[in-house]
Amino acid sequence: MVTTFKESKRDKLFLALNYLYLTVALVLVLYPLLYIVSASISSPQYVNTGEMWLFPKGFTLDGYKLVFDNPKIWNGYMNTVIYTVLGTLLNLVVTLPAAYALSRSDFVGRNLFMGMFLVTMFFNGGLIPSYLLIKNLGLINTMGALILPVAASVWNIIVARTFFHSTIPKELQEAAHIDGSTNMNLFIRIVLPLSMPIIAVMALFYGVSHWNSYFPALIYLNDESKYPLQMVLRQILVLQEMSAETTGAAISGDIAEAMNNKAEIASLVKYAVIIVSTLPIVILYPFLQRYFVQGVMIGSVKG
Amino acid sequence: MQQKRKGFALLVSATMLVGLLAGCGSSDNNKEGGASPSVEVSKEGFPIVNEKISLTMMAPDVGLQNWNNMAVLQQMEEKTNIKMVYNNAPKDSFETKKNLVFASGEYPDVFYAAGLTPAEQMNYGEQGILVPLEDLIEKHAPNFKKVLDENPGVRKSITAPDGHIYSLPVVEFNQPWYRNPMWYNGDFLKKLGYDKLPATTEELYTFLKRVKDEDANGNGKADEIPLSSVNLRDIRTWLLGAYGIYEEEIYVDDKDVVHYTPIENGYKEYLTFLNRLWKEKLLDQETFSQTAEQKKAKAQNNQVALFSDWHAYMTLGGEQSMDDPMFAPVKSDMVDAPVIAKNRGVTTGAFSISSSNAYPEASMRWVDYLYGYEGALLFNKGPEGTLWKYTDKASLTKEYLPVPGGGDREDYRATLTPNYGIPAPTISIPETSKGLLTEFDSWVENESKTKLLDKGARIPYPTLFLTAEEQAEVTTLTSDLTTYVRQMEAKFITGAEPMANWDSYIKTVNKMGGQRMAEIYQAAYDRWKES
Amino acid sequence: MKGTGQQAVQPTLRPSGGIGKKIRQNWELYLFIAPAFLYFAIFHYGPMYGIQIAFKNFIPSKGIFGSDWVGFQHFERFFNSHYFWDLLWNTLSISFLELAIGFPLPIILALAFNEVRNGFFKKTVQTVTYAPHFISMVVMAGMIITFLSPSSGMIIRLIEMFGINAPQFLNEPAWFKTVYVLSGVWQSAGWGTIIYLAALSAVDPQLHEAAIVDGASRFKRMLHINLPTIVPTITILLILNTGNILGVGYEKILLLQNSLNMESSDVISTFVYRSGLVSAQYSFSTAVGLFNSIVNAIMLIMVNQIAKRTSETSLW
């Protein structure tokens, strides 16, 4: 918001309240985040008794050590980055043109397409037919199984469509048609550059879902060297949490003891894993924020 | 409008086409193995086959080591001349993967530690996807046959209602615990001057009360939590025994009558007792909401007097200690002596052979090795000379070797053998750990013997198969029943529901099929008994 | 403002001529939608035949086509469950509570962000509020249980500092929904603002300049310029959210559920999850899923109809 005007008293009060509101929100959200960071480097016993409530107590890096000692972790990072980048590119290529087409009221049949897409939001054939499809397409144990089945999301298409619909002035299309410009030209030369905010949002939404995804990898990948980060982290966690199974049911003694040795570190690893897996994507966000700056679009249209 | 309709028709036909294409694939059985030339399978001795053969194996993987690199499996391949091609799935998604494999029509040759449920064994057996194993056992499994001959109960437990055996079990007779035992905090006992453990529910109550009132941990604060639990699951069975009940859901009494626990009178007494403990804050007030870690943290804070775990030191922290005695089951006025549940010792579904397996005889011989001393030892402790060696081979006495590279023994073991945290086909033989037991191990064994086994511990209800119809009915009944029963248990104990409402509770449970549960299991038990 | 204004006059701007001409003129738009069309046809409609297992007794090895038909048996089992009405009520009330609290908050937050000058503070608040979205459910639930633990919980201690006797949040059915929804809002409000922030970037600065000349206060401008700009987005998201009214997930609930709060915490998805644990009941869970989908779809159609009548924005 670029305002060079003098703020009135009312406005100052409003701004003050606004800052107060945001500060309260900041504190409320920040506390548990700090808790996680502290918990990841504190002795689990203090965490579980509630003695560690803000600052680390009984400092230890064992959780991180366990995560990074795993030789698969870096490979997992690399795989995740590849899947995320390629997957997101595919998502954008499928989503943006479709959303734009759907936003055009002179697009004959758009409601039909919309209906077809919407149905898939509610009805799906379930895991087994999807698995058979992937298998018959020969995608088992390939990257394709991770990115093709999630090439687009109805939800995101609708959100992007709404953005195009409510922000791209209709005059632009009219003018373009009169000039004899093609739709392709219009879309690439004019619409996309004006839609940086929604492109950024779509990239973020899709990117995050690729980053966090593990289920397709769980089902479709056999080869450990292809596992994404989340899968590797899951394996570490599952191994630590096998101790939970010892509550109640009798198992063999050796395992019970092994698990007991690990139970200590299990709760520690839980927090470390959160940090390891999300830090990169949290850091990314401030860089995307610049695309949300106001007035970029209309100004350029009128200019 | 016309336009729209055409578009729609096109869409429908397109999707149908895709659907058909996808659908056809499922019936695509790959049967390449079926036609392969027959290979000479030796009756005994090794290698099992003269020409190297290859089998696919599906198993759950804990992700510590690639199975191709496991010393035990490599040694096995060398010994048997059978190469296993591993088609593993991560342990936490194994169930899903298993179902997908059955649905996709491409089966592995053998299922290892797949935990096939009785329902799965019956379904897939009936359809011929799993092959019946009786004849193979008879002819090619001397070790396993010996187990069956020595334990007739095992044969009964692994035979499906159609008379076939579709899977080999995990046999674990040396582990007597039905649930992790309960343990007393030894320091508290000493402080309060106990030299004899409580033997009745009243004495137990008095002990717990004294823990609370007399500052058993001596820190000057009344912060003791006499009895702690996570959701009661860990302590329920032990306390029910005081009222003549063997197990929390289904048990058979000494007169061969099957009972559904939540409608028993003894169960009511159990609730009344726990309600009393709850009211006087002798039972952890966070029993229903805490995590296992939180319970442990309290114990390590020296607040807890009685709890359940594999060993006491695992909850109390510190080193293995023989000062914290095992809980000796107590009795109420209802019975002359407490009843005690013992581990079933048999878990079915550990190993199966599929119809696409071209070498069932060789496969059976391969797995049979694991039911003998040598094989069980190899898969349990790893190859000789890595983590252990013989001190006296004649008496099978061994000793541990230092862990190569230092580090955790169990972690290292998990890189040698697949039998780590999965229900693998094997048998536990006392001789495998001869010489490897510590003083602490013997102490624990003695505690189990004197407090549980010698006091008449027995299996509450045998491992057996329900028929498909029975299974379906139980599945339908339990989803509502268990929810209601667990919910009401918590309410009765915390007092949210007064014990006066017991009769209406019974009415509801029976309306939901509580009595029916007992009938179903009674019928199955009678069949098992006669077989 | 601009956007919505234009939609209103849009019909008169449509190029005249028949449908055929429009199709010819915009043939490229079909090319635009082709990848999405193919994707949905292959990856969503392709496996759709799997729905039939809701009416069958599915056994993996018999295949979807080979399993026996059982009609509405699975639906009947679900409707006849002792807990059916409780499950429905819990699911609906949690959904409505989420809508009532969780839906407006990101909008307010986004509008508030928008009033702050770009700089360190804005970036920090935005990033911090966005971060909880990435906390896994296991850790999230673990923190809730820890913070609410009667013996050591942070929140309990805080409440008791004021001399109030804190309730046992996780043991009392009356508190469960509040705990569930508020922690959910905490986790997702910041993430939810993203979409509105993008929509807000379309506000025309000239409108603000004109309004300032007219002497409109900041608050008034927020209400009359910024808010209307994002109304189409708000409407669409509201429609989409009501189309997920029975979609309360099981993961977090299962982790927070215990025998004492069960009566208010058990929802359809947790029920299905539990039933599935006993044995893989594909058919039963598909049937319940189908029931959910149909209710959800009806809700979405209804809300969309209302939106269509009362505003200029709707899904179709």
Side-chain angles (χ1 to χ4, degrees), chain A residues 30-46:
Chain A
L30 196 58
Y31 169 67
L33 294 180
L34 289 179
Y35 178 89
I36 291 178
V37 175
S38 296
S40 76
I41 49 175
S42 294
S43 156
Q45 201 204 326
Y46 296 120

Side-chain angles (χ1 to χ4, degrees), chain C residues 130-157:
Chain C
Y130 150 100
H133 175 77
F134 296 95
I135 298 172
S136 64
M137 283 304 174
V138 180
V139 168
M140 187 65 207
M143 282 205 299
I144 296 172
I145 293 173
T146 313
F147 289 167
L148 295 178
S149 155
S151 63
S152 61
M154 198 43 224
I155 294 177
I156 302 293
R157 272 191 263 173

Side-chain angles (χ1 to χ4, degrees), chain A residues 44-51 66 70 72 108-113 115-116 127-136 140 214-224 227 231 234-236 238-264 266-267 270, chain B residues 3-4 7-8 11 15 18 21-26 28 61-66 87-88 90-93 96-97 99-101 103-106 172 175 177-180 230 233-234 291-298 300-301 308-311 313-315 320 343 380-381 400 408 410-411 413 419-422 440-441:
Chain A
Q45 201 204 326
Y46 296 120
V47 178
N48 289 330
T49 48
E51 278 176 68
L66 200 133
N70 192 309
K72 290 179 243 168
V108 177
R110 68 191 180 118
N111 279 345
L112 194 73
F113 286 112
M116 174 197 166
L127 184 60
I128 290 170
S130 306
Y131 178 83
L132 294 175
L133 176 66
I134 298 295
K135 189 173 146 255
N136 294 332
I140 297 284
Y214 69 85
F215 193 70
L218 205 70
I219 301 298
Y220 299 127
L221 292 188
N222 301 323
D223 191 352
E224 285 200 349
Y227 279 177
M231 268 298 277
R234 247 183 102 79
Q235 279 193 325
I236 297 175
V238 166
L239 211 57
Q240 302 306 315
E241 278 168 3
M242 271 159 69
S243 64
E245 291 170 26
T246 64
T247 8
I251 45 160
S252 96
D254 295 340
I255 303 282
E257 262 162 65
M259 289 311 139
N260 181 57
N261 298 338
K262 294 206 174 115
E264 269 279 285
S267 45
K270 215 163 57 184
Chain B
Q3 197 68 37
K4 270 189 184 174
F8 187 69
L11 179 85
T15 47
V18 178
L21 283 175
C24 291
S26 61
D28 239 16
D61 185 354
V62 296
L64 278 174
Q65 169 79 292
N66 189 321
N87 188 3
N88 293 347
K91 184 177 147 88
D92 62 330
S93 68
T96 317
K97 261 278 178 62
N99 283 311
L100 290 174
V101 160
S104 72
E106 271 175 32
E172 168 71 288
Q175 177 39 260
W177 302 336
Y178 191 80
R179 288 267 188 271
N180 289 350
V230 178
R233 181 168 182 253
D234 46 352
T291 60
E293 287 95 35
Q294 283 175 316
K295 183 190 96 176
K296 268 186 190 179
K298 287 175 187 169
Q300 287 171 18
N301 222 8
S308 156
D309 202 335
W310 186 266
H311 290 324
Y313 78 92
M314 293 178 179
T315 288
Q320 296 183 340
N343 193 3
N380 186 351
K381 305 268 179 221
Y400 278 126
D408 190 68
E410 277 297 303
D411 276 352
R413 190 180 72 88
N419 290 17
Y420 179 87
I422 56 174
F440 176 73
D441 291 327

